[in-house]
Structure formats: structure tokens, C-alpha cells
Amino acid sequence: MSGLSEILLQLAVGIVPIGVAYLAFRSATDANKKTQQTALLQAERQAELERTKVDADAYVRAKTIYEDALTQMEKQVARVQSQANQFSSDLATEQSGATAMRDQIRQLQAQIRALERTVNALRNQLLAAGLAPAPASDVTGPYTLGQPPRQRTSE
């Protein structure tokens, strides 16, 4: 039996390293899987970080473009308001000028009517006095009715 015990002992001694090797293999495989999972998680985190950086850069660029556009729009609104104020001022000036001109036109029309009444009154007075008013083309009158205009004689 000593041969059988030795074989069993050798078999037991041989199984222990196989068991240890199996356990080492199993541990290495599990560690390798965990390493791969960790590497995948790190790669995913890195990819997410890169996407976040790209998104942040895009946000900064979009914000800059938006702020520039907003600044330009504010300047344009200020210009339009300035032009509107100038236009309003010009319109008020033109309206006051137009009102003044209308007043002057009314005064002149009243003066023309008064002059026409005066001319008519003077014409009636000339006719009543027996004098003829001057023809429109000759303003050197008055002329006596029935008498020809005086002729100048050279002396």
C-alpha cells in the first residue's frame, strides 16, 4: 500500500497546484474582466468628458455669437430711435413752419380782399367824379371821360 499511498500523495500534491493554478487562472480572468470593465467605464467617462468639452466650446461660441448679435441689434435699435427722434423733431419743425405759412397766406388773402375792396371803391369814386380808370396796360391815368389822353409836346 505504500505505492498506492505514494500515488495518492503525489496525486494530492499534483491536484493542489492544479487547484491553485485554477484559482489563479480564475482570479486572473475575473481581474481581467474587471480591468476591462474599468477600462470601458473610463473610456466612456473620457468620451463623455470630451462630449462635454465639445458642448461647452459650442456653447461658448454660440453665446459669443448671440451676444455679438444682441449688441449689433441694440446699436441698430439705438440708431433707429435716434433717426425716429430726428424725424419727429424735423416733422415738428415742418409743421410749425407750415402753420406759420398758412397764417401768412391767410393774412395776405385778407389783405388782397381789402385791396380789392379799396380798388373797387376808388374805381367807383373815379367813375362818380367823371374820370375813367386807367386801362390795365397803361398805369399813367387817370383820364377824363370824353377827352383823349394828353399828348406830350416836345419843346
Side-chain angles (χ1 to χ4, degrees):
M1 281 220 191
S2 77
L4 185 60
S5 319
E6 281 183 27
I7 291 180
L8 284 176
L9 185 62
Q10 283 181 0
L11 187 61
V13 170
I15 288 177
V16 169
I18 289 176
V20 171
Y22 175 73
L23 288 176
F25 172 75
R26 183 82 176 157
S27 292
T29 304
D30 288 343
N32 195 17
K33 282 183 184 177
K34 287 191 180 195
T35 302
Q36 287 177 348
Q37 288 175 346
T38 303
L40 284 174
L41 286 174
Q42 285 179 345
E44 287 176 5
R45 284 186 197 135
Q46 186 64 29
E48 184 63 28
L49 182 62
E50 290 299 320
R51 281 192 296 272
T52 303
K53 285 181 182 178
V54 169
D55 289 347
D57 290 343
Y59 173 77
V60 168
R61 284 191 306 274
K63 182 180 175 188
T64 302
I65 291 169
Y66 173 76
E67 288 173 348
D68 288 346
L70 188 60
T71 301
Q72 291 298 321
M73 203 57 119
E74 287 171 346
K75 287 179 183 177
Q76 189 172 5
V77 166
R79 279 192 304 269
V80 168
Q81 285 176 336
S82 174
Q83 289 173 347
N85 291 339
Q86 183 63 41
F87 177 74
S88 178
S89 174
D90 291 348
L91 179 62
T93 301
E94 291 297 323
Q95 286 176 334
S96 69
T99 301
M101 284 182 177
R102 277 193 298 273
D103 291 343
Q104 285 180 343
I105 288 171
R106 283 189 204 111
Q107 288 175 354
L108 290 172
Q109 287 173 336
Q111 288 175 356
I112 288 171
R113 285 190 300 271
L115 288 173
E116 285 174 346
R117 284 192 303 272
T118 302
V119 166
N120 284 334
L122 290 174
R123 179 171 295 180
N124 288 335
Q125 287 176 3
L126 283 174
L127 290 174
L131 299 173
S137 62
D138 186 7
V139 290
T140 61
Y143 298 99
T144 306
L145 290 177
Q147 288 183 346
R150 295 183 192 162
Q151 297 284 331
R152 286 188 176 191
T153 57
S154 300
E155 294 184 27

